[in-house]
Amino acid sequence: DDNKMFARTVTKNVLRSFSTAVSHAPPKKIFGTHGRYAGAVYTAASKAGLLEKVESELLAVGSILKKSSTLEAFFANPTIPRGEKTTKVNHLLSDSTKFSYITQNLFLTLCANGKAGEAGKVLSAFNELMAASRGSVKVTIISAQPLTAKQLAAVQKGITSMLGEKKVIDLNVAVDANILGGLQVMVDDLFLDLSVASRVNSLSGAIEAAH
């Protein structure tokens, strides 16, 4: 009986630990250096129960960087010593009542590792992870000319049927005359090229190969 009770206790603890570990893992993998930093921040914030706080903090920092081209250029400049960038970050994020230790550590680590110029990409990647955790899928539709409301609705309907009704679509629409016609659709990391330019390039390649 003691053995059975021990086995049940161990099994319960293992399952609980496994469940806890899984719950803190990022909802998707984003490749590249910025993806690794964003994933580490997501895991740390999740374990600390600070995901939403860190999200709001990073959005605030991102807003500051966008509004100040000088500050953005300062962090992106590789000739500026890491120590100087670290001092600047300490000054910006010194208010511990406003910024969590996770947000402070992220930017201090970026500066110390010479990756301060990647800050914008890290912030975007973290936002992508948060959207994925809420069941949101980032979709970008590129057309040669602006789509009408009816055309856009038709495309959205097709994407929704592909992803499932429960998914929340974070839709971005862009226009690029270079694709000539048709559409290019990006669903997270999946790229679908339905453009005229793509077909022209394929045809050109086939003609060249025939000679």
Side-chain angles (χ1 to χ4, degrees):
D1 289 341
D2 288 340
N3 288 335
K4 287 183 180 179
M5 184 177 292
F6 176 77
R8 282 198 297 270
T9 302
V10 170
T11 302
K12 185 177 180 181
N13 289 336
V14 169
L15 288 174
R16 184 188 295 121
S17 298
F18 179 74
S19 174
T20 301
V22 171
S23 67
H24 295 311
K28 61 182 286 187
K29 182 162 186 171
I30 299 178
F31 295 96
T33 303
H34 59 288
R36 290 196 296 274
Y37 277 104
V41 171
Y42 183 95
T43 299
S46 179
K47 286 181 177 179
L50 296 173
L51 273 174
E52 291 188 356
K53 177 173 173 56
V54 170
E55 179 184 27
S56 65
E57 291 172 356
L58 295 186
L59 286 173
V61 174
S63 178
I64 292 172
L65 290 176
K66 285 182 180 178
K67 289 178 181 177
S68 175
S69 56
T70 303
L71 184 61
E72 191 172 27
F74 173 83
F75 285 120
N77 190 341
T79 64
I80 297 176
R82 298 178 185 184
E84 191 175 335
K85 291 181 179 180
T86 301
T87 301
K88 188 75 171 179
V89 165
N90 270 323
H91 177 71
L92 285 173
L93 308 181
S94 59
D95 186 356
S96 59
T97 61
K98 184 176 181 181
F99 294 102
S100 66
Y101 68 93
I102 294 173
T103 295
Q104 293 181 39
N105 286 346
L106 167 63
F107 286 96
L108 289 174
T109 302
L110 285 173
C111 289
N113 292 340
K115 300 293 183 182
E118 296 278 313
K121 290 182 180 180
V122 174
L123 299 186
S124 295
F126 184 82
N127 289 338
E128 193 174 331
L129 292 178
M130 289 300 294
S133 72
R134 297 182 176 116
S136 177
V137 179
K138 187 176 181 180
V139 176
T140 301
I141 299 172
I142 303 173
S143 59
Q145 295 180 341
L147 297 176
T148 65
K150 196 171 183 179
Q151 289 172 328
L152 185 57
V155 174
Q156 281 184 277
K157 185 177 180 180
I159 293 172
T160 300
S161 64
M162 179 181 74
L163 298 175
E165 296 287 343
K166 292 184 179 180
K167 290 291 184 181
V168 177
I169 297 177
D170 177 14
L171 183 66
N172 295 293
V173 181
V175 175
D176 182 0
N178 291 323
I179 71 173
L180 303 180
L183 295 172
Q184 288 181 335
V185 182
M186 179 80 79
V187 181
D188 274 343
D189 296 326
L190 177 65
F191 181 68
L192 184 61
D193 195 346
L194 305 173
S195 67
V196 172
S198 174
R199 293 198 292 272
V200 169
N201 290 336
S202 296
L203 180 59
S204 298
I207 291 173
E208 287 179 8
H211 286 292

